[in-house]
Amino acid sequence: MTNDRNYPDRPFVGASALIIHNDHILLVQRSNPPAIGIWSLPGGAVEAGETLKEAIEREVREETGLQIEPHYVADLVEVLRNDPDGRCKRHFVIAVFFCTVPGSGTVFPPLVADDDAMDARWVSKEALAGYPLTEGTLGVIEKIIAGSRLPS
């Protein structure tokens, strides 16, 4: 099996994190194609032998330096893109976890953009619309916030 994510034989499984802290959302700016320079929730592909929970903890740590606590899968998102000839160019099924940063209180935990992230920021809900977001990200954030079971 190839690691090439274009024209896959089957869908890739991904994990993503919606992390809310003091009414701010954690966003990362992608440094790799196809979404270079675009902002999204932190996350990426699940590696063979890795659980979804392990994958999202690793991805967030690699992209932001944060240790997080995943609480539950808040949404499943399918990304399916065809080329002009109708062939499946990209196919991902992404488990979006609702997560928190344990022990951070009211202080914003510092972020260190690394791995495949150019930048990482805490963004207020009101400012989200001003960021160029990957397709569907704003809708996923709004859907999860509207129906979330926030941990106490």
Side-chain angles (χ1 to χ4, degrees):
M1 183 171 127
T2 178
N3 281 333
D4 187 2
R5 294 179 185 175
N6 288 318
Y7 299 100
D9 295 332
R10 60 182 151 265
F12 282 88
V13 176
S16 183
L18 174 60
I19 305 168
I20 301 175
H21 187 73
N22 293 337
D23 285 331
H24 285 64
I25 310 295
L26 179 59
L27 294 179
V28 295
Q29 188 178 34
R30 298 287 172 204
S31 63
N32 294 320
I36 192 166
I38 306 298
W39 293 84
S40 68
L41 299 175
V46 178
E47 295 177 358
E50 185 175 53
T51 67
L52 289 170
K53 182 178 181 281
E54 290 168 341
I56 196 54
E57 289 172 335
R58 174 186 52 76
E59 285 288 343
V60 171
R61 185 177 57 255
E62 287 176 357
E63 293 180 358
T64 70
L66 289 180
Q67 299 291 328
I68 59 161
E69 183 175 341
H71 293 281
Y72 57 90
V73 174
D75 202 3
L76 286 175
V77 177
E78 186 170 37
V79 178
L80 181 58
R81 302 286 181 264
N82 292 329
D83 68 13
D85 295 327
R87 295 181 11 206
C88 177
K89 183 172 181 177
R90 294 179 71 78
H91 193 177
F92 283 85
V93 177
I94 303 168
V96 184
F97 280 84
F98 180 83
C99 305
T100 56
V101 182
S104 56
T106 58
V107 174
F108 282 102
L111 304 171
V112 179
D114 202 1
D115 194 42
D116 65 345
M118 292 170 56
D119 196 0
R121 294 184 188 167
W122 293 106
V123 179
S124 71
K125 294 175 190 175
E126 299 76 28
L128 286 173
Y131 280 75
L133 299 172
T134 52
E135 184 180 339
T137 296
L138 185 58
V140 167
I141 292 170
E142 291 171 342
K143 176 182 172 184
I144 293 172
I145 289 173
S148 67
R149 307 180 313 262
L150 299 177
S152 49

